[in-house]
Amino acid sequence: MTERYPDQWEADVVLSDGGTAHLRPIRPGDDGLLREFHARLSPESIYYRFFSPRPHLSDRDVEHFTTVDHDRRVALIATIGEVMVAVVRYDRLADRPETAEVAFLVEDAHQGRGVGPVLLEHIAAAARERGVRRFVASVLPDNRRMTRVFREAGYRAEQRFEEGVIELVLDLEPTETSVEVMTAREHRAESRSIQRLLFPRSVAVIGASRAEHSVGQTVLRNLLAGDFTGPVYPVHPTAVAVAGVRAYASVLEIPDDVDLAVVAVRADAVHEVVEQCASKGVRGLIVVSSGFGEIGDEGRVRQEELVRLARAYGMRVVGPNCLGIANTDTDVRLNATLAPTMPGRGPVGFFSQSGALGIAILQRTAERGLGLSTFVSAGNRADVSGNDLLQYWEEDPATKAVLLYLESLGNPRKFARLARRLGRRKPIVAVKSGRSTQGVPLGHAARALTLPDHAVSALFEQAGVIRVEDLSELFDVAQVLAYQPLPAGDRVAIIDNSNSLGLLAQDEAVALGLDVRPRIDLGPRADADDYEAALASALADDTVDAVVALFTPPTIGGYDVRVPEKILRLAAGSAKPIVATYLGTEGMPADLRVTGPDGMAAEGSVPSYTSPEDAVRALAYVIRYAQWRQRPAGHTPELDGVDRDRARELVAEWLSAGDADDAGGRDGRGGPVEATPKQAAELLSCYGVEITEGGDADGVPACIVIREDHSFGALVSFGIADETAALLDDRAYRLSPLADVEAAEMIRAIRTAPLLLGHRGAEPVNLKALEELLLRASRLGYDLPEVARLELNPVVADASGVTVRQVTLTLERPLGPRPELGPRRLS
């Protein structure tokens, strides 16, 4: 029986060189594409695939290869533009239906671009969906490239050598290694795709109008004023020159290669421009034009077509409706933005979704003396997103800290995964707007979040992201991270020449939970030598981890102008961070700046704040991040008594029975199935969790909820099970599966945690037993995406252990595989 065309297998993918391709199942109408593809293959590639010369495909061959049933016989092709560049296929073995023979073929011109590995990922996912559990591949010994693709995929593999042919057997069950291989390849490919945008050798501005202050001319003039190191080509249908630079009627008439195109034409003309850029071989597009998703349904269709067309031809898109991108590297000096002010070179990477706020953001960055490495304004973020930039910045030696202004999250679970990995090396500071609504701005290619905002904050914290309240705090924190070392702890010394300022700083530090050392009030007559002695003493003190230096001019008389010099000298040689409130200045004042070769602030510069509270607050954010980074990452433990296979069988059985009762259902998936208490208990027993109904309720009642969230995937929440805690929504949230240290953190994260820890002399509950229950429940939710909601309530905890008194379970077929277990694709 032929299955319907599986459109869920279609995907845009990033290749290892940063280009893109489209993957889809083969169709009978692809006979022409297949013949042209085969005709371009070298004799060697043909021989490696078919084990014999086959210069031409017969009509019978073509019909056989293009006619599949999407079950017993499956084939996926990779296309770039309208050209087929690769194919992979599997055929089930008649006597072993859970085993299939697999083979793929990549056009010679596209070999070495990572097409083979990504095809293998997708065909393996399709096979698992159809019940195929292993692949068999026959490879000639000389075909080392093919052998390497199979061996390096990370699956459990066996190898045999028979009759001059290597036979490889791959177990398709994802392994820790296969997932690591997939994410590492994803990282390299997406990082490379952003690097191609940020380091173009040439730029075309399409729509470079002669009208002053027009969008196209503004970008062109900013490119020229920024002294871009490559050629800039204005494109105008009639002008001979724009802004004194020779213009061309279309991008196709430019005689040289074009790496990057800035598109500033009417929205309804963008489609034609993209096609011309594809023909020209342009690698990336910055679409500053508006008139797309932000205007409604018509614009959204236009936006989706823009992305589809660009990706099909190997191009990434920044925008549409964006401010542009910038790279301050002296080798490129790229200002392809609408912003008149561009900050100087510095160690901060900045991603902003808002084009409207972008100009103000860059202006404020420059005013504070904060230097940027790179800047990307994604606008409607139809393609390039913050996740792509996290991939790039992880390896970028010029970026020490990352700033994000987010209005939506396109792939929140991937964001959390990338942020957690990057955050162990470089800090990420984020402003996430929409706290009150969790909505998505019109035009953004993202879904609204369903979690309460404090839950989103908890998941950011789990990933090590420093989430701040507003843009002012974003810059406040960035100043410390960019130029000062991370603190070793939370012990803070305050040095001041004003009792009032010192008390404000002390009150704020105590309110934020910092350990304040005895304050050093030097008095209003303090001079530079006094500050030098006090600072030197604090920095040498093993009980001090960071210093807040406050200096205000005395009410009467002048002040010692050598004070900043002393502060700066001691800061330069210190491993402890120093923040200042110096004469009410904000940013990186010249007096407190270690000046780099370009006049910008360099490492060791001391940030200043207009108020002591702002200085302490910024330092507190940095301290909490440093503490997160110092904590062990932990590991997801292997749990005894877990029978995943049995659990999957039970879930499949109950859902199939539910489908019979509710034929069709939503999205053809069948409706949700409410499990009976007996079924819920049976499923939990597969994970070593027993239910004990009734009995004494002595102990502290807790509640554990596992749920499948459409944005974040498997989530676990924990709290005390009483009305007051529910009223205050006092719950801790984490992504599943939990690491051991995260389970411990969850219990202690809620405000009512003292009830579990021994409040007012009560005996503490058995925390280890509670942590293990959290680990087991979270693992169940992660292993079984069909678990829409699992609630253990109450869980009675006491000194002897934990008892699960009641459980409710709802099952539902998921829309698709979890992104972290599925093959790489652009969302």
Side-chain angles (χ1 to χ4, degrees):
M1 181 182 73
T2 300
E3 298 281 342
R4 66 170 181 82
Y5 178 82
D7 52 14
Q8 74 272 20
W9 292 350
E10 293 198 12
D12 295 320
V13 297
V14 183
L15 305 179
S16 60
D17 63 356
T20 58
H22 183 68
L23 305 187
R24 64 170 174 83
I26 203 165
R27 304 186 184 108
D30 291 328
D31 52 338
L33 286 180
L34 182 61
R35 290 182 190 276
E36 293 168 1
F37 166 72
H38 192 86
R40 294 192 301 272
L41 296 172
S42 69
E44 181 183 53
S45 291
I46 293 173
Y47 187 82
Y48 281 156
R49 168 63 180 89
F50 297 106
F51 296 2
S52 65
R54 191 179 293 194
H56 304 288
L57 293 177
S58 67
D59 291 343
R60 183 177 178 180
D61 289 335
V62 172
E63 181 181 5
H64 175 74
F65 289 143
T66 57
T67 305
V68 296
D69 63 7
H70 308 303
D71 181 16
R72 292 177 298 106
R73 299 183 61 245
V74 169
L76 305 177
I77 65 171
T79 62
I80 298 178
E82 303 301 325
V83 178
M84 174 180 166
V85 300
V87 61
V88 64
R89 63 179 64 251
Y90 80 67
D91 292 84
R92 286 187 197 252
L93 302 184
D95 58 335
R96 289 176 286 163
E98 289 193 346
T99 302
E101 187 172 6
V102 66
F104 62 85
L105 187 54
V106 179
E107 184 180 334
D108 296 68
H110 294 277
Q111 292 178 9
R113 301 186 63 200
V115 182
V118 77
L119 279 174
L120 181 59
E121 288 177 21
H122 281 260
I123 197 75
R128 288 193 295 268
E129 187 177 323
R130 295 297 192 234
V132 175
R133 296 292 173 254
R134 64 192 62 83
F135 277 161
V136 177
S138 298
V139 185
L140 290 173
D142 289 344
N143 193 356
R144 295 181 180 86
R145 189 189 297 270
M146 182 77 72
T147 306
R148 187 165 59 249
V149 169
F150 286 120
R151 286 176 175 166
E152 293 179 355
Y155 296 114
R156 288 181 289 270
E158 299 176 5
Q159 178 178 320
R160 293 189 295 270
F161 186 78
E162 295 181 2
E163 299 180 358
V165 175
I166 297 172
E167 185 176 89
L168 294 165
V169 180
L170 276 70
D171 184 337
L172 298 183
E173 182 69 20
T175 66
E176 185 175 336
T177 301
S178 70
V179 173
E180 287 177 356
V181 167
M182 183 173 64
T183 55
R185 287 171 172 165
E186 171 195 69
H187 166 66
R188 290 193 296 269
E190 293 181 359
S191 174
R192 177 61 178 151
S193 75
I194 299 303
Q195 184 183 45
R196 297 201 320 175
L197 290 169
L198 291 170
F199 286 87
R201 293 164 297 184
S202 56
V203 180
V205 181
I206 305 173
S209 171
R210 288 177 294 183
E212 192 174 1
H213 304 306
S214 63
V215 170
Q217 188 180 106
T218 298
V219 175
L220 176 64
R221 289 190 179 278
N222 288 342
L223 276 164
L224 298 174
D227 198 21
F228 174 62
T229 55
V232 178
Y233 304 104
V235 175
H236 188 283
T238 59
V240 175
V242 178
V245 180
R246 179 185 174 183
Y248 297 86
S250 82
V251 70
L252 295 173
E253 294 187 17
I254 298 173
D256 302 312
D257 292 338
V258 175
D259 281 349
L260 179 67
V262 181
V263 180
V265 300
R266 299 188 323 274
D268 58 5
V270 168
H271 186 101
E272 180 182 359
V273 166
V274 174
E275 289 182 329
Q276 292 174 352
C277 288
S279 298
K280 182 64 178 174
V282 173
R283 292 183 169 188
L285 303 172
I286 303 171
V287 182
V288 296
S289 309
S290 57
F292 290 88
E294 78 279 0
I295 68 170
D297 292 342
E298 178 185 351
R300 189 173 296 109
V301 171
R302 188 181 293 134
Q303 180 170 297
E304 290 171 355
E305 180 60 17
L306 159 66
V307 174
R308 185 201 66 78
L309 187 61
R311 287 176 175 175
Y313 282 97
M315 297 180 286
R316 299 299 306 271
V317 178
V318 178
N321 189 34
C322 73
L323 186 72
I325 69 175
N327 184 354
T328 61
D329 191 299
T330 54
D331 289 337
V332 61
R333 293 196 292 270
L334 175 72
N335 181 10
T337 77
L338 294 167
T341 301
M342 182 55 56
R345 184 69 170 164
V348 175
F350 205 132
F351 174 82
S352 170
Q353 287 180 344
S354 172
L357 272 178
I359 292 177
I361 286 172
L362 290 174
Q363 179 69 32
R364 291 179 67 177
T365 305
E367 288 173 352
R368 289 201 180 213
L370 189 64
L372 296 183
S373 60
T374 41
F375 170 82
V376 174
S377 160
N380 293 358
R381 55 159 304 282
D383 179 24
V384 169
S385 69
N387 287 346
D388 293 299
L389 270 298
L390 293 183
Q391 299 275 34
Y392 170 75
W393 282 322
E394 183 175 354
E395 304 300 333
D396 179 29
T399 300
K400 180 181 175 183
V402 168
L403 306 185
L404 307 174
Y405 176 77
L406 303 174
E407 296 177 323
S408 63
L409 290 170
N411 188 337
R413 192 171 184 94
K414 181 176 179 180
F415 171 79
R417 168 170 59 85
L418 297 180
R420 188 186 317 206
R421 190 178 71 205
L422 173 59
R424 291 286 171 184
R425 298 174 56 192
K426 301 177 183 182
I428 303 168
V429 192
V431 172
K432 168 67 174 69
S433 65
R435 286 177 177 270
S436 58
T437 64
Q438 294 294 67
V440 174
L442 192 62
H444 281 219
R447 293 186 293 187
L449 301 180
T450 59
L451 293 176
D453 186 67
H454 70 87
V456 176
S457 291
L459 297 179
F460 274 38
E461 183 180 353
Q462 182 186 9
V465 176
I466 305 170
R467 185 180 183 183
V468 295
E469 297 291 328
D470 51 40
L471 287 173
S472 292
E473 286 193 350
L474 185 79
F475 293 119
D476 286 349
V477 175
Q479 293 173 180
V480 187
L481 295 170
Y483 304 110
Q484 287 291 303
L486 292 178
D490 65 350
R491 300 167 300 180
V492 178
I494 298 171
I495 301 172
D496 65 78
N497 67 339
S498 163
N499 186 58
S500 298
L501 290 183
L503 285 174
L504 288 173
Q506 180 173 318
D507 289 346
E508 185 70 10
V510 171
L512 292 171
L514 303 182
D515 182 356
V516 183
R517 314 314 293 162
R519 188 164 57 86
I520 305 171
D521 182 7
L522 300 176
R525 297 183 180 278
D527 61 14
D529 294 332
D530 296 325
Y531 267 91
E532 182 177 33
L535 259 177
S537 176
L539 293 174
D541 188 343
D542 291 338
T543 67
V544 171
D545 300 307
V547 178
V548 179
L550 311 176
F551 180 75
T552 187
T555 306
I556 300 175
Y559 63 89
D560 192 337
V561 295
R562 299 176 300 139
V563 169
E565 174 190 334
K566 301 293 187 180
I567 295 175
L568 195 58
R569 186 182 67 78
L570 288 167
S574 174
K576 301 175 182 180
I578 300 175
V579 298
T581 293
Y582 173 68
L583 301 179
T585 54
E586 181 180 61
M588 311 304 299
D591 287 349
L592 291 174
R593 183 183 301 182
V594 175
T595 306
D598 57 355
M600 291 297 297
E603 187 172 351
S605 298
V606 176
S608 179
Y609 301 85
T610 55
S611 74
E613 296 96 329
D614 289 344
V616 171
R617 196 176 303 117
L619 184 60
Y621 276 119
V622 173
I623 287 172
R624 285 197 290 270
Y625 165 72
Q627 290 174 331
W628 173 86
R629 192 155 137 175
Q630 291 163 5
R631 289 198 296 266
H635 69 284
T636 304
E638 284 297 323
L639 302 168
D640 296 332
V642 173
D643 190 345
R644 293 182 181 85
D645 292 338
R646 175 60 179 158
R648 288 166 180 157
E649 290 173 3
L650 290 174
V651 167
E653 176 186 332
W654 298 335
L655 284 173
S656 295
D659 290 344
D661 296 334
D662 182 23
R666 296 179 303 176
D667 306 318
R669 294 186 292 149
V673 173
E674 301 296 334
T676 66
K678 182 178 179 180
Q679 289 173 328
E682 187 175 5
L683 184 63
L684 280 166
S685 70
C686 295
Y687 282 79
V689 178
E690 301 299 326
I691 311 300
T692 305
E693 295 184 355
D696 296 334
D698 291 340
V700 182
C703 176
I704 297 172
V705 176
I706 309 296
R707 58 173 286 196
E708 185 72 13
D709 182 81
H710 69 69
S711 295
F712 286 95
L715 286 174
V716 56
S717 66
F718 172 79
I720 298 298
D722 70 16
E723 291 185 5
T724 302
L727 181 65
L728 297 174
D729 198 12
D730 182 22
R731 304 193 63 77
Y733 293 82
R734 297 292 186 273
L735 295 178
S736 293
L738 292 175
D740 48 7
V741 295
E742 292 170 339
E745 287 172 358
M746 280 193 80
I747 295 170
R748 295 159 177 81
I750 57 175
R751 285 168 285 175
T752 45
L755 296 175
L756 299 165
L757 303 177
H759 184 55
R760 291 186 175 178
E763 190 174 11
V765 307
N766 188 328
L767 295 176
K768 289 297 181 184
L770 195 53
E771 290 167 15
E772 183 174 343
L773 179 60
L774 273 169
L775 289 169
R776 291 181 180 276
S778 79
R779 188 73 219 189
L780 183 153
Y782 182 76
D783 289 344
L784 305 171
E786 299 86 355
V787 174
R789 182 179 175 87
L790 171 68
E791 182 171 339
L792 311 181
N793 185 11
V795 173
V796 179
D798 58 26
S800 63
V802 294
T803 305
V804 181
R805 297 294 190 193
Q806 189 172 349
V807 57
T808 58
L809 171 65
T810 303
L811 302 173
E812 188 169 16
R813 295 191 187 278
L815 286 170
R818 290 225 179 88
E820 66 269 27
L821 297 179
R824 289 174 284 157
R825 63 171 63 215
L826 285 167
S827 56

